[in-house]
Structures are given as structure tokens and as C-alpha cells.
Amino acid sequence: MTERRARLPAVDRVLRSEGAGALIARYGRPLALEAVRKALAERRRCGADASVVSIIEASAAALARTMQPSQRRVFNLTGTVLHTNLGRAPLPEEAIAAATAAMREPTNLEYDLASGRRGERDDHISGWLIRLTGAEAALAVNNNAGALVLALNTLAEGRETIVSRGELIEIGGSFRLPDIMARAGTTLHEVGTTNRTHLADFAAAIGPETGLILKAHTSNYAIQGFTAAVPAAKLASLAREHGIPLIEDLGSGSLVDLERWGLPHEPTAAEALAQGADLVTFSGDKLLGGPQAGLVVGRAALVARLARNPLKRALRLDKIRLAALEAVLRLYGDPDRLAERLPTLRLLARPHSEIAALGQRLLPAIEDALKGVAEASLVDTRSQIGSGALPVSLLPSAAIALHPISRSGAAVEGLARALRALPVPVIGRIEAGRVLLDLRCLEDDAAFLAQLPALANARP
């Protein structure tokens, strides 16, 4: 072992080499030194000989892995358009340009150019939200859960919030509405049953400790069969009668009627306000198609109270997301061109015929790349909107189905793993012993095809 160690070059000798100079120039001396030491230590543990060249090669490979961005572009071929784990809504070019400009230079984020005094950052988006929803006022925070916490804490801290038992939702990551309410400092008063809640249940629950009524849109599940729910308009009338606010949480709420593009109807913020909600909360990065944000629209007096809550500062948006959000909201001013300019709506409304035609073009190249590894075929499938929106509404789509030559479960997992290992990882889904690549969200087919040859070495 001692003799083998003696054959390892010294750290200084490696660092004086031409190859190390290139690594230092590219990555900096501290990282290059660390990589060289680790490469030498690994060979010392194994008792293996090593030359300067081999240590440089190992160090270069390790540095490349270290410096690879953790968050990378992927191809979303899961069939879920608004995939929470893959970043939800892709942003339009206008939003990307606006965010980039805001990152590059100082902006008037909280500066009133007319008066030369301090301004309010929500002013950059509130005007558009008021225009698009008919609200009196609006504000934005970091996500919809934050918007709901802010509203509950402001209007019902130390008091009760009445909610139908059938609307006690749980969102991704095991975040439950009752837990959010507890953190907001309000006491849950649930009424009705899982499948049926009546106006009389709400009326009977109202008392001196009532802070507000909350109606939560069950956007990520559906209760069917023998059911009853109280319409928002009736809840609003009851709330006004008792002088308490009604908040409607739309979750993935939309700003436009999706039926215009042949999609299932999803309640809009404007509809909720028209039915009498005092405040409406919804997300910016779901059906709206923008960056992550939680939006609150409604009565000016209530929005002003939310804005004065110290929590608002903790939950506020930075200039980058505000710039992107404003750019997305501007697109809604031209609804006739919205589907072609807003990626989320374009992907949701993409016709089955177009997706199937894409599959026909891609199939020969995929078959060639996976020859001897998997059989490929074009199949009809169903996409889903995702992120809790319209959970039982599926969209006709087309997919490339990959059947490994070996029919074992390990082979399917191995093929999915090989797809994820591509330079731009391909994320599909495993279904019925095959890997399905739903093509609804594939628009850059040239980049997809360019990396297929790397699959020739995939051996699940």
C-alpha cells in the first residue's frame, strides 16, 4: 500500500500542471484545489496508482458535476400541464423580458415618480387586477396560502372562521386548511357534513365570536352523488346581514372563462366578486399563467387592512416577480390573442389533432434511438390541468408509449431513469408497464430530437 501511495503525484505538482491551470482559470483556485485533493484521497483509499493527467481528468469531471445548476430545464411529458414539481406555469416571453429588465437595473419598485416620494409596490399590479376582476382594490403576496393566511389573520385573529366541512381542503405537501387557519390565529368552526352543508348550518354557527365566513373552492377534488353546497350569493347575503366578511378562496382561480377555448369552466375572480364575496384569493402561477404569487381582490377597506398587517411585509413579492406578473396581466387586456401569447392557455387549449401529428413526426426517430431497448408506439391518452385545477376534467392528448424489450418492472424504471439522465431530462410517467411521454407540453421538438441518440446506450 505504501508503495502505491508513493506513486501518487503531490498536490503541488498537480496544481503546477497545464491542465490544473485551465481548471483554476475556469472554476477558481479554491474549488480546483478541493477537487484535486478529493481525487488524490479517493485513489489513496483504493490503493490505486494515478498520473497527473488522470487526477486532472477526475477533478475536471467532479468540478463539472459540482458546477452544474441544481435547477435545470426539463421536458415536461408527464401529461400534467401545471405540474407543481416542475414549476407550474411556464411564463410568456413578455414576462421573461420584464423580469430580466427588473433584475438588471434599479426600478421604481416603491418610488412614486410623479411626487418623488415613497410609493407602494402593489400599485404596479393592482390597477390591472381591478380592471380584470371589477374589484375595488387588490394586493399581491408570495403565494395563495400566504394570501389566505394574511386575510384570516387580519380579519379573524382570535375569533372564529366558519367553513363547510366539505371544504376543509388539503393542498400539496400535506398543507391542510385547518392547520393554515390555526397558524393564522383563527379558530375553525366547521359546519355541515362532508357531502352536504346548508345555509341554515352557517346561520346557526354565527355568534359573537365569528370573525368571517370562508368559502374554499374545492379545486383539487370533487364530491359527487348526494351532495349540497351553499351558493356564494346566499352566503354573501348572510354575511352582510350579520356584518361579517365573506372570503372566497379560489385556489387556482382563473381571470377568464376557459370555456371560450373549449375548456371546462373554472370560477373566475370576477364571478366570485359579482356573487358577493368581500375578498377573493387565488394563485398567480396556476391557471392565470404567471409567476408564483397569491392575489387578493375585493373591497378597498378590507384590502387596506390587509396591507397594514405586519405579515404583509413578510409575504410581499420582490421586484422581479412583480415585473413578470404585471407583464402577464397586461396580456389579459387583449383576450383575442391571449391563447397564442400565454403558454399555459396555449398548452391547455392545444388540440388533440396537433398533438397526434407531432407524435407521428417524432415516432420514427424515437424508434430508431431505442432500437433493441424498447418498442415505441403512438397512443391516445388524457392530460390533466394540474396544480389542483379541475381535477376530474381530462384533456384528450397523444403520447409515445415505450415498452422495454424486457417486460420487468425494473426495466420500466430503468428506462424512465435513462430518460431523466439525458442532458435535458425527459420526465414522463409510468403507466401499465410502460413509460408514457405525453406530448401536450412538448413545443421544442428540435431540442428533444437532438438528444435522442444518447438513449442508444440505455440498457434498463
Side-chain angles (χ1 to χ4, degrees):
M1 183 68 72
T2 303
E3 185 179 352
R4 284 187 177 276
R5 288 179 180 176
R7 293 175 185 166
L8 293 174
V11 172
D12 286 346
R13 181 185 168 195
V14 176
L15 291 178
R16 288 194 302 270
S17 69
E18 183 178 346
L23 294 182
I24 292 170
R26 182 170 182 179
Y27 300 109
R29 184 178 179 86
L31 287 175
L33 174 59
E34 177 186 329
V36 167
R37 283 176 171 168
K38 285 185 176 179
L40 287 168
E42 177 62 27
R43 280 148 184 78
R44 192 172 294 115
R45 281 194 299 271
C46 298
D49 297 338
S51 65
V52 170
V53 171
S54 66
I55 293 299
I56 293 297
E57 289 176 349
S59 301
L63 284 167
R65 290 192 298 271
T66 298
M67 298 304 290
Q68 185 178 56
S70 174
Q71 188 171 188
R72 298 160 56 193
R73 175 195 180 190
V74 302
F75 283 114
N76 175 15
L77 305 188
T78 63
T80 301
V81 178
L82 298 173
H83 201 300
T84 298
N85 305 128
L86 303 183
R88 291 183 177 163
L91 294 183
E93 291 301 321
E94 292 85 349
I96 295 168
T100 302
M103 284 188 280
R104 185 174 289 120
E105 303 286 356
T107 71
N108 61 324
L109 175 64
E110 289 187 354
Y111 186 85
D112 188 317
L113 293 173
S115 66
R117 298 176 180 174
R118 183 184 179 94
E120 171 52 55
R121 65 179 61 201
D122 284 334
D123 288 347
H124 298 291
I125 51 89
S126 61
W128 278 106
L129 286 170
I130 291 168
R131 176 195 296 263
L132 295 167
T133 67
E136 294 178 3
L139 60 75
V141 291
N142 64 338
N143 62 23
N144 189 51
L148 189 57
V149 166
L150 179 63
L152 293 171
N153 179 260
T154 302
L155 304 179
E157 183 182 20
R159 306 182 73 187
E160 292 181 349
T161 294
I162 303 174
V163 188
S164 167
R165 185 170 282 112
E167 296 176 0
L168 294 178
I169 59 176
E170 177 179 313
I171 59 177
S174 299
F175 288 94
R176 295 178 171 181
L177 181 56
D179 298 334
I180 291 174
M181 294 172 67
R183 290 294 182 177
T186 185
T187 301
L188 166 64
H189 189 151
E190 56 185 275
V191 297
T193 62
T194 302
N195 60 318
R196 293 177 67 82
T197 303
H198 305 283
L199 185 63
D201 296 321
F202 284 95
I206 295 176
E209 298 303 313
T210 302
L212 59 85
I213 297 174
L214 173 64
K215 183 173 180 58
H217 178 48
T218 55
S219 59
N220 62 352
Y221 66 94
I223 299 175
Q224 298 177 328
F226 186 57
T227 63
V230 184
K234 290 187 176 182
L235 278 181
S237 178
L238 179 67
R240 283 194 300 271
E241 179 184 337
H242 291 271
I244 56 177
L246 168 65
I247 297 178
E248 183 158 6
D249 174 22
L250 288 183
S252 57
S254 175
L255 285 178
V256 292
D257 186 354
L258 298 177
E259 289 183 300
R260 175 174 180 171
W261 294 276
L263 296 166
H265 180 75
E266 176 81 352
T268 68
E271 290 171 351
L273 291 172
Q275 290 168 6
D278 296 296
L279 291 178
V280 178
T281 66
F282 54 102
S283 295
D285 58 340
K286 296 182 180 178
L287 289 175
L288 193 146
Q292 179 180 300
L295 307 176
V296 183
V297 297
R299 287 172 45 197
L302 296 181
V303 172
R305 288 177 62 183
L306 267 62
R308 292 192 297 268
N309 189 324
L311 275 177
K312 173 63 165 65
R313 184 177 181 88
L315 299 171
R316 69 186 183 180
L317 292 180
D318 69 335
K319 67 174 184 175
I320 302 166
R321 278 194 282 172
L322 278 169
L325 179 58
E326 181 188 5
V328 171
L329 293 174
R330 283 200 303 266
L331 297 182
Y332 280 86
D334 183 7
D336 292 336
R337 293 193 293 162
L338 187 61
E340 65 185 76
R341 301 169 72 188
L342 190 66
T344 292
L345 186 54
R346 182 175 68 245
L347 294 174
L348 290 175
R350 197 175 188 184
H352 172 268
S353 58
E354 179 184 312
I355 303 170
L358 172 63
Q360 292 286 1
R361 294 197 303 273
L362 296 178
L363 186 58
I366 294 174
E367 288 177 321
D368 186 61
L370 288 172
K371 188 176 300 182
V373 176
E375 299 169 347
S377 61
L378 182 64
V379 299
D380 286 333
T381 189
R382 297 273 181 171
S383 304
Q384 60 181 356
I385 294 173
S387 290
L390 298 164
V392 297
S393 299
L394 301 177
L395 310 174
S397 188
I400 301 293
L402 304 177
H403 295 262
I405 300 301
S406 169
R407 300 300 186 182
S408 69
V412 177
E413 293 286 352
L415 181 56
R417 187 165 53 249
L419 289 163
R420 297 195 302 269
L422 289 170
V424 180
V426 173
I427 316 296
R429 71 178 189 269
I430 295 176
E431 181 180 291
R434 57 188 181 170
V435 177
L436 281 188
L437 305 181
D438 189 313
L439 303 174
R440 174 172 292 278
C441 293
L442 179 60
E443 294 188 297
D444 189 1
D445 48 298
F448 175 79
L449 288 170
Q451 61 177 5
L452 286 182
L455 285 174
N457 296 322
R459 290 289 179 261

